Amino acid sequence: MRRISHLLVLLLTAGVLLAAGCGDDDDDGGGGGAAAPEATEESAGGGGGALTLTADPGGAISWDKSELSASAGTVTIKLVNESTTPHAVEIEGNGVEEESDTVTESNTEVTADLEPGEYEYYCPVGSHRQTMNGTLTVK
């Protein structure tokens, strides 16, 4: 019995450490539903970039940004979804169509190699695309 207790404590500790390492440490003050003007979180060097979208934590069918921009190259959009409403993110345009996993109370991401141009990103779950969409400008 004591061995099981130790194993349980070890597993719980590992879970807490994993959860702490997966959090979004950006303090961008993102809120639910309001569109931010433009968000750029480009990586240093070789183009591309890492961008973050946050779904409304209260479960509304919205996210915090309707415009993103990045340099040409490998671009990753991370979707933070703290709600129980399922969401995903898809990038589409210029011959590209890439989709993330659908998640609830979790994070997911989609990565694509993008040439300069405009792309649409949206939530492909049900009818979410009507209100959860935006423009990704790649330079």
Side-chain angles (χ1 to χ4, degrees), residues 34-137:
E38 185 170 342
T40 304
E41 301 173 34
E42 295 181 25
S43 63
L51 309 166
T52 302
L53 284 173
T54 302
D56 180 76
I61 310 300
S62 64
W63 48 39
D64 64 338
K65 298 174 185 93
S66 62
E67 295 182 20
L68 298 173
S69 66
S71 297
T74 303
V75 176
T76 299
I77 298 177
K78 175 183 175 183
L79 174 61
V80 177
N81 182 13
E82 296 175 356
S83 77
T84 57
T85 303
H87 295 299
V89 62
E90 184 165 336
I91 302 171
E92 191 174 301
N94 301 319
V96 173
E97 188 171 352
E98 296 291 336
E99 182 178 337
S100 73
D101 292 333
T102 300
V103 296
T104 59
E105 299 178 305
S106 185
N107 301 333
T108 188
E109 61 185 40
V110 60
T111 300
D113 290 322
L114 303 178
E115 298 292 325
E118 286 195 352
Y119 299 81
E120 181 181 15
Y121 62 92
Y122 58 91
C123 179
V125 176
S127 62
H128 295 193
R129 185 175 184 169
Q130 294 172 356
T131 57
M132 296 182 80
N133 60 69
T135 301
L136 169 60
T137 302

Side-chain angles (χ1 to χ4, degrees), residues 6-39:
H6 287 292
L7 182 59
L8 184 59
V9 168
L10 188 62
L11 287 173
L12 289 173
T13 302
V16 168
L17 290 175
L18 279 172
C22 293
D24 181 12
D25 62 351
D26 293 343
D27 187 17
D28 61 4
E38 185 170 342

